[in-house]
PDB file of all heavy atoms in Angstrom:
ATOM      1  N   GLY A   1       9.225  -4.684  -3.531  1.00 92.00           N
ATOM      2  CA  GLY A   1       9.667  -5.230  -2.201  1.00 92.00           C
ATOM      3  C   GLY A   1      11.164  -5.246  -2.289  1.00 92.00           C
ATOM      4  O   GLY A   1      11.935  -4.199  -2.449  1.00 92.00           O
ATOM      5  N   ASN A   2      11.789  -6.469  -1.945  1.00 93.00           N
ATOM      6  CA  ASN A   2      13.287  -6.494  -1.833  1.00 93.00           C
ATOM      7  C   ASN A   2      13.823  -6.910  -3.254  1.00 93.00           C
ATOM      8  O   ASN A   2      15.048  -7.285  -3.317  1.00 93.00           O
ATOM      9  CB  ASN A   2      13.570  -7.514  -0.778  1.00 93.00           C
ATOM     10  CG  ASN A   2      13.169  -8.831  -1.072  1.00 93.00           C
ATOM     11  OD1 ASN A   2      12.086  -9.156  -1.634  1.00 93.00           O
ATOM     12  ND2 ASN A   2      13.863  -9.835  -0.517  1.00 93.00           N
ATOM     13  N   ILE A   3      13.043  -7.171  -4.153  1.00 93.00           N
ATOM     14  CA  ILE A   3      13.522  -7.631  -5.488  1.00 93.00           C
ATOM     15  C   ILE A   3      13.667  -6.419  -6.530  1.00 93.00           C
ATOM     16  O   ILE A   3      12.644  -5.619  -6.650  1.00 93.00           O
ATOM     17  CB  ILE A   3      12.663  -8.612  -6.095  1.00 93.00           C
ATOM     18  CG1 ILE A   3      12.499  -9.916  -5.288  1.00 93.00           C
ATOM     19  CG2 ILE A   3      13.137  -9.179  -7.388  1.00 93.00           C
ATOM     20  CD1 ILE A   3      13.806 -10.528  -4.909  1.00 93.00           C
ATOM     21  N   LEU A   4      14.766  -6.301  -7.069  1.00 93.00           N
ATOM     22  CA  LEU A   4      15.129  -5.291  -7.880  1.00 93.00           C
ATOM     23  C   LEU A   4      15.485  -5.877  -9.407  1.00 93.00           C
ATOM     24  O   LEU A   4      16.407  -6.738  -9.455  1.00 93.00           O
ATOM     25  CB  LEU A   4      16.380  -4.445  -7.534  1.00 93.00           C
ATOM     26  CG  LEU A   4      16.696  -3.384  -8.453  1.00 93.00           C
ATOM     27  CD1 LEU A   4      15.819  -2.096  -8.268  1.00 93.00           C
ATOM     28  CD2 LEU A   4      18.182  -2.880  -8.042  1.00 93.00           C
ATOM     29  N   LEU A   5      14.664  -5.691 -10.348  1.00 91.00           N
ATOM     30  CA  LEU A   5      14.749  -6.269 -11.686  1.00 91.00           C
ATOM     31  C   LEU A   5      15.748  -5.307 -12.619  1.00 91.00           C
ATOM     32  O   LEU A   5      15.325  -4.182 -12.686  1.00 91.00           O
ATOM     33  CB  LEU A   5      13.451  -6.487 -12.371  1.00 91.00           C
ATOM     34  CG  LEU A   5      13.553  -7.258 -13.657  1.00 91.00           C
ATOM     35  CD1 LEU A   5      14.064  -8.586 -13.540  1.00 91.00           C
ATOM     36  CD2 LEU A   5      12.216  -7.282 -14.260  1.00 91.00           C
ATOM     37  N   MET A   6      16.767  -5.805 -13.079  1.00 90.00           N
ATOM     38  CA  MET A   6      17.756  -5.064 -13.886  1.00 90.00           C
ATOM     39  C   MET A   6      17.761  -5.753 -15.263  1.00 90.00           C
ATOM     40  O   MET A   6      17.865  -6.945 -15.372  1.00 90.00           O
ATOM     41  CB  MET A   6      19.021  -4.942 -13.192  1.00 90.00           C
ATOM     42  CG  MET A   6      19.025  -4.167 -11.949  1.00 90.00           C
ATOM     43  SD  MET A   6      20.601  -3.877 -11.290  1.00 90.00           S
ATOM     44  CE  MET A   6      21.177  -2.552 -12.375  1.00 90.00           C
ATOM     45  N   ARG A   7      17.912  -4.902 -16.290  1.00 87.00           N
ATOM     46  CA  ARG A   7      17.942  -5.395 -17.620  1.00 87.00           C
ATOM     47  C   ARG A   7      19.031  -4.825 -18.483  1.00 87.00           C
ATOM     48  O   ARG A   7      19.389  -3.677 -18.304  1.00 87.00           O
ATOM     49  CB  ARG A   7      16.627  -5.004 -18.453  1.00 87.00           C
ATOM     50  CG  ARG A   7      16.467  -5.826 -19.702  1.00 87.00           C
ATOM     51  CD  ARG A   7      15.039  -5.593 -20.203  1.00 87.00           C
ATOM     52  NE  ARG A   7      15.059  -4.553 -21.321  1.00 87.00           N
ATOM     53  CZ  ARG A   7      14.094  -4.079 -21.853  1.00 87.00           C
ATOM     54  NH1 ARG A   7      12.885  -4.340 -21.565  1.00 87.00           N
ATOM     55  NH2 ARG A   7      14.239  -3.143 -22.823  1.00 87.00           N
ATOM     56  N   THR A   8      19.834  -5.669 -19.296  1.00 89.00           N
ATOM     57  CA  THR A   8      20.913  -5.178 -20.068  1.00 89.00           C
ATOM     58  C   THR A   8      20.324  -4.692 -21.478  1.00 89.00           C
ATOM     59  O   THR A   8      19.180  -4.973 -21.632  1.00 89.00           O
ATOM     60  CB  THR A   8      21.869  -6.266 -20.199  1.00 89.00           C
ATOM     61  OG1 THR A   8      21.306  -7.299 -21.217  1.00 89.00           O
ATOM     62  CG2 THR A   8      22.324  -6.900 -19.209  1.00 89.00           C
ATOM     63  N   PRO A   9      21.225  -4.024 -22.172  1.00 88.00           N
ATOM     64  CA  PRO A   9      20.707  -3.415 -23.546  1.00 88.00           C
ATOM     65  C   PRO A   9      20.301  -4.704 -24.441  1.00 88.00           C
ATOM     66  O   PRO A   9      19.501  -4.454 -25.317  1.00 88.00           O
ATOM     67  CB  PRO A   9      21.978  -2.823 -24.064  1.00 88.00           C
ATOM     68  CG  PRO A   9      22.682  -2.274 -22.830  1.00 88.00           C
ATOM     69  CD  PRO A   9      22.452  -3.424 -21.794  1.00 88.00           C
ATOM     70  N   LYS A  10      20.926  -5.936 -24.236  1.00 85.00           N
ATOM     71  CA  LYS A  10      20.527  -7.041 -25.061  1.00 85.00           C
ATOM     72  C   LYS A  10      19.398  -7.967 -24.496  1.00 85.00           C
ATOM     73  O   LYS A  10      19.193  -9.120 -24.825  1.00 85.00           O
ATOM     74  CB  LYS A  10      21.759  -8.107 -25.215  1.00 85.00           C
ATOM     75  CG  LYS A  10      22.829  -7.339 -26.061  1.00 85.00           C
ATOM     76  CD  LYS A  10      23.985  -8.228 -26.223  1.00 85.00           C
ATOM     77  CE  LYS A  10      24.970  -7.639 -27.188  1.00 85.00           C
ATOM     78  NZ  LYS A  10      26.144  -8.542 -27.538  1.00 85.00           N
ATOM     79  N   ASN A  11      18.799  -7.296 -23.384  1.00 84.00           N
ATOM     80  CA  ASN A  11      17.514  -7.920 -22.809  1.00 84.00           C
ATOM     81  C   ASN A  11      17.828  -9.067 -21.826  1.00 84.00           C
ATOM     82  O   ASN A  11      16.786  -9.691 -21.458  1.00 84.00           O
ATOM     83  CB  ASN A  11      16.364  -8.388 -23.799  1.00 84.00           C
ATOM     84  CG  ASN A  11      15.825  -7.124 -24.547  1.00 84.00           C
ATOM     85  OD1 ASN A  11      15.851  -6.065 -23.877  1.00 84.00           O
ATOM     86  ND2 ASN A  11      15.269  -7.298 -25.696  1.00 84.00           N
ATOM     87  N   ASP A  12      19.038  -9.354 -21.416  1.00 88.00           N
ATOM     88  CA  ASP A  12      19.316 -10.236 -20.347  1.00 88.00           C
ATOM     89  C   ASP A  12      18.891  -9.561 -19.140  1.00 88.00           C
ATOM     90  O   ASP A  12      18.933  -8.271 -19.095  1.00 88.00           O
ATOM     91  CB  ASP A  12      20.801 -10.610 -20.279  1.00 88.00           C
ATOM     92  CG  ASP A  12      21.373 -11.267 -21.440  1.00 88.00           C
ATOM     93  OD1 ASP A  12      20.530 -11.889 -22.289  1.00 88.00           O
ATOM     94  OD2 ASP A  12      22.539 -11.230 -21.815  1.00 88.00           O
ATOM     95  N   PHE A  13      18.523 -10.271 -18.059  1.00 89.00           N
ATOM     96  CA  PHE A  13      18.040  -9.635 -16.905  1.00 89.00           C
ATOM     97  C   PHE A  13      18.472 -10.382 -15.737  1.00 89.00           C
ATOM     98  O   PHE A  13      18.827 -11.623 -15.746  1.00 89.00           O
ATOM     99  CB  PHE A  13      16.639  -9.331 -16.860  1.00 89.00           C
ATOM    100  CG  PHE A  13      15.718 -10.627 -17.026  1.00 89.00           C
ATOM    101  CD1 PHE A  13      15.300 -11.221 -15.883  1.00 89.00           C
ATOM    102  CD2 PHE A  13      15.295 -10.996 -18.288  1.00 89.00           C
ATOM    103  CE1 PHE A  13      14.475 -12.352 -15.859  1.00 89.00           C
ATOM    104  CE2 PHE A  13      14.498 -12.252 -18.230  1.00 89.00           C
ATOM    105  CZ  PHE A  13      14.077 -12.810 -16.962  1.00 89.00           C
ATOM    106  N   ALA A  14      18.433  -9.635 -14.599  1.00 92.00           N
ATOM    107  CA  ALA A  14      18.858 -10.234 -13.259  1.00 92.00           C
ATOM    108  C   ALA A  14      17.865  -9.596 -12.278  1.00 92.00           C
ATOM    109  O   ALA A  14      17.451  -8.560 -12.359  1.00 92.00           O
ATOM    110  CB  ALA A  14      20.323  -9.815 -12.780  1.00 92.00           C
ATOM    111  N   ALA A  15      17.384 -10.513 -11.338  1.00 92.00           N
ATOM    112  CA  ALA A  15      16.655 -10.144 -10.199  1.00 92.00           C
ATOM    113  C   ALA A  15      17.446 -10.138  -8.952  1.00 92.00           C
ATOM    114  O   ALA A  15      17.730 -11.245  -8.439  1.00 92.00           O
ATOM    115  CB  ALA A  15      15.450 -11.106 -10.109  1.00 92.00           C
ATOM    116  N   PHE A  16      17.732  -8.941  -8.404  1.00 95.00           N
ATOM    117  CA  PHE A  16      18.598  -8.766  -7.224  1.00 95.00           C
ATOM    118  C   PHE A  16      17.776  -8.846  -5.995  1.00 95.00           C
ATOM    119  O   PHE A  16      16.742  -8.023  -5.946  1.00 95.00           O
ATOM    120  CB  PHE A  16      19.418  -7.459  -7.283  1.00 95.00           C
ATOM    121  CG  PHE A  16      20.574  -7.454  -8.092  1.00 95.00           C
ATOM    122  CD1 PHE A  16      20.738  -7.402  -9.405  1.00 95.00           C
ATOM    123  CD2 PHE A  16      21.867  -7.751  -7.462  1.00 95.00           C
ATOM    124  CE1 PHE A  16      21.840  -7.434 -10.226  1.00 95.00           C
ATOM    125  CE2 PHE A  16      23.043  -7.885  -8.149  1.00 95.00           C
ATOM    126  CZ  PHE A  16      23.080  -7.605  -9.563  1.00 95.00           C
ATOM    127  N   ASN A  17      18.178  -9.588  -5.023  1.00 95.00           N
ATOM    128  CA  ASN A  17      17.556  -9.515  -3.730  1.00 95.00           C
ATOM    129  C   ASN A  17      18.393  -8.378  -2.803  1.00 95.00           C
ATOM    130  O   ASN A  17      19.499  -8.657  -2.590  1.00 95.00           O
ATOM    131  CB  ASN A  17      17.693 -10.894  -2.987  1.00 95.00           C
ATOM    132  CG  ASN A  17      17.053 -11.062  -1.677  1.00 95.00           C
ATOM    133  OD1 ASN A  17      16.864  -9.942  -0.931  1.00 95.00           O
ATOM    134  ND2 ASN A  17      16.614 -12.180  -1.410  1.00 95.00           N
ATOM    135  N   LEU A  18      17.657  -7.462  -2.665  1.00 96.00           N
ATOM    136  CA  LEU A  18      18.315  -6.288  -1.801  1.00 96.00           C
ATOM    137  C   LEU A  18      18.607  -6.609  -0.296  1.00 96.00           C
ATOM    138  O   LEU A  18      19.305  -5.814   0.292  1.00 96.00           O
ATOM    139  CB  LEU A  18      17.377  -5.053  -1.917  1.00 96.00           C
ATOM    140  CG  LEU A  18      17.316  -4.505  -3.319  1.00 96.00           C
ATOM    141  CD1 LEU A  18      16.516  -3.245  -3.391  1.00 96.00           C
ATOM    142  CD2 LEU A  18      18.719  -4.251  -3.922  1.00 96.00           C
ATOM    143  N   ASP A  19      18.175  -7.717   0.322  1.00 95.00           N
ATOM    144  CA  ASP A  19      18.460  -8.103   1.595  1.00 95.00           C
ATOM    145  C   ASP A  19      19.838  -8.553   1.684  1.00 95.00           C
ATOM    146  O   ASP A  19      20.485  -8.397   2.748  1.00 95.00           O
ATOM    147  CB  ASP A  19      17.406  -9.061   2.076  1.00 95.00           C
ATOM    148  CG  ASP A  19      16.090  -8.530   2.379  1.00 95.00           C
ATOM    149  OD1 ASP A  19      15.956  -7.262   2.704  1.00 95.00           O
ATOM    150  OD2 ASP A  19      14.976  -9.236   2.066  1.00 95.00           O
ATOM    151  N   ASP A  20      20.351  -9.430   0.755  1.00 94.00           N
ATOM    152  CA  ASP A  20      21.693  -9.870   0.654  1.00 94.00           C
ATOM    153  C   ASP A  20      22.551  -9.717  -0.465  1.00 94.00           C
ATOM    154  O   ASP A  20      23.543 -10.264  -0.557  1.00 94.00           O
ATOM    155  CB  ASP A  20      21.519 -11.356   1.135  1.00 94.00           C
ATOM    156  CG  ASP A  20      20.857 -12.236  -0.023  1.00 94.00           C
ATOM    157  OD1 ASP A  20      20.528 -11.706  -1.030  1.00 94.00           O
ATOM    158  OD2 ASP A  20      20.618 -13.509   0.256  1.00 94.00           O
ATOM    159  N   CYS A  21      21.945  -8.981  -1.525  1.00 94.00           N
ATOM    160  CA  CYS A  21      22.649  -8.650  -2.724  1.00 94.00           C
ATOM    161  C   CYS A  21      22.914  -9.896  -3.621  1.00 94.00           C
ATOM    162  O   CYS A  21      23.733  -9.901  -4.350  1.00 94.00           O
ATOM    163  CB  CYS A  21      23.997  -7.980  -2.468  1.00 94.00           C
ATOM    164  SG  CYS A  21      24.464  -6.729  -3.741  1.00 94.00           S
ATOM    165  N   SER A  22      22.195 -10.993  -3.350  1.00 95.00           N
ATOM    166  CA  SER A  22      22.254 -12.141  -4.359  1.00 95.00           C
ATOM    167  C   SER A  22      21.438 -11.854  -5.529  1.00 95.00           C
ATOM    168  O   SER A  22      20.514 -11.022  -5.432  1.00 95.00           O
ATOM    169  CB  SER A  22      21.866 -13.304  -3.627  1.00 95.00           C
ATOM    170  OG  SER A  22      20.585 -13.346  -3.195  1.00 95.00           O
ATOM    171  N   TYR A  23      21.598 -12.580  -6.646  1.00 94.00           N
ATOM    172  CA  TYR A  23      20.678 -12.428  -7.676  1.00 94.00           C
ATOM    173  C   TYR A  23      20.604 -13.667  -8.561  1.00 94.00           C
ATOM    174  O   TYR A  23      21.391 -14.663  -8.423  1.00 94.00           O
ATOM    175  CB  TYR A  23      21.178 -11.241  -8.593  1.00 94.00           C
ATOM    176  CG  TYR A  23      22.499 -11.608  -9.444  1.00 94.00           C
ATOM    177  CD1 TYR A  23      22.549 -12.082 -10.622  1.00 94.00           C
ATOM    178  CD2 TYR A  23      23.822 -11.157  -8.890  1.00 94.00           C
ATOM    179  CE1 TYR A  23      23.720 -12.402 -11.371  1.00 94.00           C
ATOM    180  CE2 TYR A  23      24.835 -11.249  -9.671  1.00 94.00           C
ATOM    181  CZ  TYR A  23      24.854 -11.880 -10.779  1.00 94.00           C
ATOM    182  OH  TYR A  23      25.972 -12.036 -11.546  1.00 94.00           O
ATOM    183  N   VAL A  24      19.472 -13.857  -9.270  1.00 92.00           N
ATOM    184  CA  VAL A  24      19.343 -14.877 -10.270  1.00 92.00           C
ATOM    185  C   VAL A  24      19.304 -14.109 -11.650  1.00 92.00           C
ATOM    186  O   VAL A  24      18.671 -13.043 -11.699  1.00 92.00           O
ATOM    187  CB  VAL A  24      18.028 -15.802 -10.003  1.00 92.00           C
ATOM    188  CG1 VAL A  24      18.319 -16.475  -8.817  1.00 92.00           C
ATOM    189  CG2 VAL A  24      16.729 -14.840  -9.978  1.00 92.00           C
ATOM    190  N   MET A  25      19.829 -14.836 -12.646  1.00 91.00           N
ATOM    191  CA  MET A  25      19.822 -14.053 -13.978  1.00 91.00           C
ATOM    192  C   MET A  25      19.403 -15.076 -15.097  1.00 91.00           C
ATOM    193  O   MET A  25      19.166 -16.274 -14.799  1.00 91.00           O
ATOM    194  CB  MET A  25      21.349 -13.719 -14.345  1.00 91.00           C
ATOM    195  CG  MET A  25      22.319 -14.822 -14.428  1.00 91.00           C
ATOM    196  SD  MET A  25      23.958 -14.164 -14.787  1.00 91.00           S
ATOM    197  CE  MET A  25      24.044 -14.750 -16.517  1.00 91.00           C
ATOM    198  N   TYR A  26      18.953 -14.480 -16.163  1.00 89.00           N
ATOM    199  CA  TYR A  26      18.439 -15.129 -17.291  1.00 89.00           C
ATOM    200  C   TYR A  26      19.038 -14.480 -18.547  1.00 89.00           C
ATOM    201  O   TYR A  26      18.890 -13.284 -18.704  1.00 89.00           O
ATOM    202  CB  TYR A  26      16.915 -15.054 -17.233  1.00 89.00           C
ATOM    203  CG  TYR A  26      16.190 -15.858 -18.326  1.00 89.00           C
ATOM    204  CD1 TYR A  26      16.256 -17.223 -18.346  1.00 89.00           C
ATOM    205  CD2 TYR A  26      15.720 -15.146 -19.369  1.00 89.00           C
ATOM    206  CE1 TYR A  26      15.460 -17.881 -19.428  1.00 89.00           C
ATOM    207  CE2 TYR A  26      14.924 -15.815 -20.522  1.00 89.00           C
ATOM    208  CZ  TYR A  26      15.077 -17.131 -20.483  1.00 89.00           C
ATOM    209  OH  TYR A  26      14.345 -17.858 -21.503  1.00 89.00           O
ATOM    210  N   ASN A  27      19.587 -15.205 -19.449  1.00 87.00           N
ATOM    211  CA  ASN A  27      20.130 -14.721 -20.693  1.00 87.00           C
ATOM    212  C   ASN A  27      19.068 -14.944 -21.714  1.00 87.00           C
ATOM    213  O   ASN A  27      18.821 -16.025 -22.188  1.00 87.00           O
ATOM    214  CB  ASN A  27      21.438 -15.522 -21.038  1.00 87.00           C
ATOM    215  CG  ASN A  27      22.540 -15.220 -20.271  1.00 87.00           C
ATOM    216  OD1 ASN A  27      22.699 -14.201 -19.709  1.00 87.00           O
ATOM    217  ND2 ASN A  27      23.336 -16.340 -19.985  1.00 87.00           N
ATOM    218  N   ALA A  28      18.325 -13.818 -22.024  1.00 82.00           N
ATOM    219  CA  ALA A  28      17.243 -13.785 -22.845  1.00 82.00           C
ATOM    220  C   ALA A  28      17.604 -13.712 -24.401  1.00 82.00           C
ATOM    221  O   ALA A  28      18.627 -13.246 -24.715  1.00 82.00           O
ATOM    222  CB  ALA A  28      16.327 -12.663 -22.522  1.00 82.00           C
ATOM    223  N   LYS A  29      16.607 -13.901 -25.242  1.00 79.00           N
ATOM    224  CA  LYS A  29      16.801 -13.718 -26.620  1.00 79.00           C
ATOM    225  C   LYS A  29      16.521 -12.373 -26.989  1.00 79.00           C
ATOM    226  O   LYS A  29      15.973 -11.644 -26.245  1.00 79.00           O
ATOM    227  CB  LYS A  29      15.727 -14.678 -27.407  1.00 79.00           C
ATOM    228  CG  LYS A  29      16.009 -16.141 -27.204  1.00 79.00           C
ATOM    229  CD  LYS A  29      15.250 -17.036 -28.035  1.00 79.00           C
ATOM    230  CE  LYS A  29      15.647 -18.438 -27.968  1.00 79.00           C
ATOM    231  NZ  LYS A  29      14.764 -19.367 -27.396  1.00 79.00           N
ATOM    232  N   LYS A  30      17.009 -11.967 -28.125  1.00 78.00           N
ATOM    233  CA  LYS A  30      16.910 -10.647 -28.576  1.00 78.00           C
ATOM    234  C   LYS A  30      15.446 -10.296 -28.660  1.00 78.00           C
ATOM    235  O   LYS A  30      14.604 -11.130 -29.177  1.00 78.00           O
ATOM    236  CB  LYS A  30      17.533 -10.453 -30.031  1.00 78.00           C
ATOM    237  CG  LYS A  30      17.551  -8.971 -30.548  1.00 78.00           C
ATOM    238  CD  LYS A  30      18.266  -9.040 -31.804  1.00 78.00           C
ATOM    239  CE  LYS A  30      18.082  -7.593 -32.338  1.00 78.00           C
ATOM    240  NZ  LYS A  30      18.628  -7.582 -33.709  1.00 78.00           N
ATOM    241  N   ASP A  31      15.063  -9.020 -28.338  1.00 80.00           N
ATOM    242  CA  ASP A  31      13.699  -8.475 -28.481  1.00 80.00           C
ATOM    243  C   ASP A  31      12.780  -9.109 -27.469  1.00 80.00           C
ATOM    244  O   ASP A  31      11.567  -8.989 -27.689  1.00 80.00           O
ATOM    245  CB  ASP A  31      13.090  -8.552 -29.804  1.00 80.00           C
ATOM    246  CG  ASP A  31      13.949  -7.770 -30.824  1.00 80.00           C
ATOM    247  OD1 ASP A  31      14.602  -6.657 -30.437  1.00 80.00           O
ATOM    248  OD2 ASP A  31      14.069  -8.094 -32.005  1.00 80.00           O
ATOM    249  N   SER A  32      13.131  -9.771 -26.366  1.00 84.00           N
ATOM    250  CA  SER A  32      12.255 -10.372 -25.485  1.00 84.00           C
ATOM    251  C   SER A  32      11.816  -9.238 -24.464  1.00 84.00           C
ATOM    252  O   SER A  32      12.433  -8.143 -24.485  1.00 84.00           O
ATOM    253  CB  SER A  32      13.019 -11.474 -24.648  1.00 84.00           C
ATOM    254  OG  SER A  32      14.027 -10.856 -23.827  1.00 84.00           O
TER     255      SER A  32
END
């Protein structure tokens, strides 16, 4: 839908709301 999940090489991720370009992020542990 309107949520785009993006992940960094270190497995941190952000869920972007494409309606307003806001996001929530999470700093994950290695190999998550």
Side-chain angles (χ1 to χ4, degrees):
N2 67 328
I3 301 298
L4 182 72
L5 183 64
M6 297 186 71
R7 189 171 104 186
T8 70
K10 292 185 178 182
N11 292 333
D12 297 337
F13 62 90
F16 276 84
N17 182 331
L18 296 179
D19 290 326
D20 62 7
C21 211
S22 63
Y23 70 89
V24 293
M25 61 179 252
Y26 182 75
N27 293 325
K29 293 185 173 117
K30 185 179 178 185
D31 297 327
S32 69

